[in-house]
């Protein structure tokens, strides 16, 4: 073989080798990324060309795939195409669009719904052998339709959210976020129309009240699930966590007397700018002291400012972390972490004594989600054991055979059962004789806590969190009304949010 032929052979072999490496790389190494790339319309045709599994609530499908006579073969349909009914569940279900965008459960349970999860390999093998059309699995949720509807109706026209948990298992019984949207408008089979509908939703921001009289808008639009992906200042609802830290770490009891001055000077500050008073500027007790139970019942700001300072940075940060609030959950949607001074998500460079003290009343840089607030009540209700919240009850294949079933598991144990008992006693007092009377249910003892959080320049954000019955808890609830307060007694968390929580608890107890 002459030199020219050898060189040509070498070049040809190198080209074949490059082709083999390139093909192997595309087919095996990057195949997953290419399949998931939203620009890969071949994948979209494949996804919508199969009978995608339903999402089920209370034994009835709320999301289905209907056969249609077009290139996609199936139309994803939410609540039978009823816009109003679909809106009740939209922040949960999300949508599946021909543009390759999918959100909510449509995204985070896509492996099951699309029939591609590793646990469904036997079904895929059978389809390959028989030549039958691939089908997705049904995903049944823990949501109770009665509780979900009660939460939806009770929230009315408010901008806000409500979430209900079974404190003994962590199952999510209701998850409502308002304003909502109609996913059917985005699931259309025209890419241009789908994009236009989605962009319109992204640009919508509901108008909220302001303290300065100027027009203000929420930072969260209708496509954001406010229960898990919106964070707010928790205000006085956070006094539960402050109380838990004081009882668990400092040996305080519900009957311990703590300072409750008219005005509290934040540590390390001087002058009026560092002074914080009570709601309405009223004294909590003429003596300047009161029991922890009484302070929580009337939601005395100065008492909890001082209490957080006594617990200190290490104790307050530890309790926040022991609840898991600096960690994301997969329920299966990913939840947003909370924010606390000195911790990830908060003012990491500002954990001064003043900031820690201010956090005792849920102000300053503290931010948490409604789900996290419900988790505080759930931990109290379950003797200090916080169960991991979950949304998927079980998954069944196209033959209705059980593929997977969620087993309740403990997530955290932020405090002891004795601390939980003390907090329960105090929360019962809040509802019986304190700021949470609006949550009272005849014949049922309710434990709860109000919250009215300053959110300047917007109006106060209102809270109520609770569980019932207090002696045998069946449901833990959190309600948030975004910037719905007006700094008056008639627009506090106790006045507006607690009646909403009452209706949700009533629906859960009467299931």
């Amino acid at each position: 073989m002459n030199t020219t032929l050898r060189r040509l052979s070498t070049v040809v072999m190198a080209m074949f080798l490059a082709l083999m490496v390139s093909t192997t790389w595309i087919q095996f190494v990057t195949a997953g990324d290419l399949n998931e790339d939203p620009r890969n319309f071949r994948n979209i045709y494949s996804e919508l060309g199969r009978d995608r599994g339903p999402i089920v609530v209370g034994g009835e499908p709320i999301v289905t795939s209907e056969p249609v006579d077009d290139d996609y073969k199936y139309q994803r349909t939410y609540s039978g195409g009823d816009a109003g009914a679909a809106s009740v569940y939209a922040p949960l279900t999300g949508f599946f669009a021909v543009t390759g965008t999918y959100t909510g459960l449509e995204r985070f349970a896509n492996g099951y719904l699309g029939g591609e999860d590793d646990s469904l390999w036997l079904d895929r093998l059978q389809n390959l052998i028989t030549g039958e059309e691939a089908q997705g699995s049904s995903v049944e949720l823990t949501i109770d339709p009665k509780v979900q509807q009660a939460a939806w109706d009770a929230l009315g026209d408010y901008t806000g959210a409500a979430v209900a948990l079974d404190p003994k298992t962590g199952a999510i019984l209701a998850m409502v976020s308002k304003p909502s949207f109609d996913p059917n408008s985005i699931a259309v089979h025209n890419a241009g129309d789908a994009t236009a509908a989605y962009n319109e939703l992204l640009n919508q921001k509901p108008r909220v009240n302001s303290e300065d009289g100027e027009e203000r808008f929420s930072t969260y639009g209708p496509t954001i699930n406010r229960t898990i992906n919106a964070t707010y200042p928790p205000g006085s609802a956070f006094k539960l966590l402050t109380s838990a830290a004081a009882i668990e770490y400092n040996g305080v009891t519900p009957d311990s007397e703590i300072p409750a001055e008219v005005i509290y000077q934040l540590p390390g500050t001087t002058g009026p700018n560092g002074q914080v008073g009570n709601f309405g500027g009223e004294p909590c007790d003429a003596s300047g002291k009161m029991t922890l139970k009484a302070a929580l019942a009337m939601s005395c700001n100065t008492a909890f400012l001082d209490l957080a300072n006594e617990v200190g940075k290490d104790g307050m940060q530890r309790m926040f972390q022991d609840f898991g609030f600096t960690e994301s959950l997969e329920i299966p949607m990913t939840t947003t972490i909370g924010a606390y001074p000195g911790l990830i998500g908060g003012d990491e460079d500002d954990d001064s004594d003043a900031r820690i003290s201010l956090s005792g009343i849920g102000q300053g840089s503290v931010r948490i989600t409604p789900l996290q607030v419900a988790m505080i009540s759930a931990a109290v209700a379950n003797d200090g054991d916080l169960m991991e919240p979950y949304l998927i009850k079980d998954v069944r294949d196209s033959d209705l055979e059980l593929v997977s079933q969620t087993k309740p598991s403990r997530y955290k144990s932020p405090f002891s059962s004795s601390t939980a008992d003390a907090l329960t006693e105090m929360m019962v007092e809040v509802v019986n004789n304190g700021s949470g009377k609006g949550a009272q249910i005849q014949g049922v003892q309710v434990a709860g806590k109000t919250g009215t959080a300053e959110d300047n320049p917007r109006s106060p954000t209102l809270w109520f969190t609770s569980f019932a019955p207090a002696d045998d808890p069946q449901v833990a609830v959190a309600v948030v009304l975004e910037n719905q307060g007006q700094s008056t007694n008639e627009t506090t968390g106790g006045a507006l949010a607690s009646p909403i929580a009452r209706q949700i608890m009533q629906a859960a107890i009467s299931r």
Side-chain angles (χ1 to χ4, degrees):
M1 183 180 292
N2 60 36
T3 303
T4 303
L5 286 176
R6 281 200 304 270
R7 289 176 179 172
L8 180 60
S9 298
T10 302
V11 170
V12 171
M13 290 176 64
M15 292 173 65
F16 269 109
L17 181 62
L19 181 62
M20 291 172 62
V21 171
S22 174
T23 303
T24 301
W25 182 266
I26 292 173
Q27 290 185 340
F28 292 97
V29 180
T30 63
D33 292 337
L34 291 172
N35 278 332
E36 294 174 5
D37 193 312
R39 296 169 297 178
N40 185 358
F41 279 89
R42 192 181 292 270
N43 185 50
I44 301 301
Y45 277 108
S46 174
E47 289 277 4
L48 290 176
R50 71 169 65 103
D51 190 358
R52 192 170 172 81
I55 298 176
V56 180
V57 168
E60 297 295 329
I62 58 170
V63 184
T64 57
S65 286
E66 304 296 334
V68 290
D69 187 19
D70 64 20
D71 291 339
Y72 295 105
K73 297 184 181 179
Y74 288 95
Q75 171 71 57
R76 204 62 170 155
T77 305
Y78 301 84
S79 298
D82 185 319
S87 299
V88 177
Y89 293 98
L92 289 170
T93 63
F95 58 84
F96 193 100
V98 298
T99 57
T101 302
Y102 49 121
T103 65
L105 284 164
E106 290 279 35
R107 174 186 175 188
F108 289 94
N110 183 56
Y112 291 129
L113 295 170
E116 295 293 330
D117 190 80
D118 291 343
S119 62
L120 301 171
W121 68 270
L122 184 58
D123 284 2
R124 295 200 300 274
L125 179 60
Q126 290 174 340
N127 290 333
L128 183 63
I129 295 172
T130 63
E132 292 182 1
E133 183 180 273
Q135 288 183 289
S137 296
S138 67
V139 173
E140 182 162 10
L141 307 186
T142 57
I143 295 294
D144 185 294
K146 182 178 179 181
V147 183
Q148 180 80 0
Q149 191 65 52
W152 176 269
D153 293 341
L155 273 173
D157 294 329
Y158 286 121
T159 295
V163 59
L165 301 172
D166 181 334
K168 298 176 182 177
T169 66
I172 298 171
L173 304 177
M175 184 174 271
V176 170
S177 177
K178 285 191 171 184
S180 186
F181 63 99
D182 176 19
N184 291 292
S185 65
I186 309 173
V188 294
H189 284 182
N190 181 291
D193 292 344
T195 299
Y198 186 42
N199 287 339
E200 182 180 353
L201 283 173
L202 289 178
N203 291 325
Q204 287 181 19
K205 295 293 187 292
R207 188 180 184 280
V208 294
N209 297 322
S210 72
E211 289 281 83
D212 54 14
E214 294 187 11
E215 191 174 51
R216 300 286 176 179
F217 296 90
S218 172
T219 55
Y220 305 111
T223 60
I224 298 298
N225 186 338
R226 283 170 161 77
T227 63
I228 58 172
N229 295 131
T231 60
Y232 303 97
S236 294
F238 200 75
K239 291 172 183 174
L240 291 174
L241 189 143
T242 306
S243 298
I247 296 169
E248 188 76 3
Y249 308 142
N250 288 38
V252 177
T253 71
D255 295 323
S256 296
E257 279 203 336
I258 57 176
E261 303 291 343
V262 177
I263 297 292
Y264 182 79
Q265 186 78 44
L266 293 173
T269 69
T270 57
N273 288 339
Q275 294 178 348
V276 182
N278 298 305
F279 185 81
E282 298 293 326
C284 295
D285 192 283
S287 69
K289 292 184 177 182
M290 63 196 314
T291 65
L292 178 60
K293 183 197 294 187
L296 191 75
M298 73 176 302
S299 205
C300 179
N301 283 343
T302 57
F304 282 91
L305 290 163
D306 184 77
L307 193 64
N309 186 51
E310 288 297 315
V311 172
K313 177 178 70 175
D314 291 344
M316 292 296 290
Q317 289 180 342
R318 177 183 170 187
M319 184 59 71
F320 194 85
Q321 291 175 306
D322 282 352
F323 267 101
F325 291 164
T326 56
E327 305 169 19
S328 290
L329 287 165
E330 307 293 331
I331 64 169
M333 295 96 81
T334 302
T335 66
T336 299
I337 64 171
Y340 190 84
L343 299 178
I344 182 172
D347 290 337
E348 295 180 46
D349 298 326
D350 189 357
D351 56 359
S352 63
D353 290 343
R355 282 286 183 180
I356 297 300
S357 185
L358 197 58
S359 77
I361 60 172
Q363 295 287 177
S365 58
V366 182
R367 295 290 186 277
I368 52 180
T369 66
L371 176 62
Q372 289 170 330
V373 172
M375 288 165 66
I376 296 176
S377 285
V380 178
N382 199 42
D383 295 326
D385 285 335
L386 176 59
M387 304 301 286
E388 184 167 357
Y390 65 96
L391 192 56
I392 295 180
K393 180 181 179 182
D394 58 49
V395 177
R396 296 181 182 274
D397 64 20
S398 55
D399 294 323
L400 299 182
E401 293 292 331
L402 189 65
V403 173
S404 70
Q405 188 172 50
T406 304
K407 294 181 179 179
S409 63
R410 187 180 65 180
Y411 177 55
K412 301 284 184 179
S413 294
F415 44 74
S416 64
S417 60
S418 60
T419 296
D421 290 341
L423 290 168
T424 299
E425 176 187 340
M426 293 160 55
M427 293 173 71
V428 166
E429 182 69 10
V430 170
V431 175
N432 285 352
N433 301 303
S435 57
K437 293 179 181 178
Q440 292 178 357
I441 301 174
Q442 187 174 4
V444 177
Q445 184 62 73
V446 176
K449 182 67 190 84
T450 57
T452 302
E454 293 183 8
D455 195 16
N456 292 327
R458 297 175 176 84
S459 294
T461 287
L462 310 180
W463 290 91
F464 191 77
T465 184
S466 56
F467 63 90
D471 58 349
D472 183 22
Q474 299 175 33
V475 61
V477 173
V479 173
V480 64
L481 305 180
E482 185 179 336
N483 306 123
Q484 300 299 308
Q486 294 290 345
S487 299
T488 65
N489 288 327
E490 293 75 26
T491 58
T492 61
L496 299 183
S498 65
I500 295 173
R502 181 189 68 235
Q503 294 179 57
I504 299 171
M505 289 185 290
Q506 285 176 317
I509 292 170
S510 63
R511 287 181 295 158

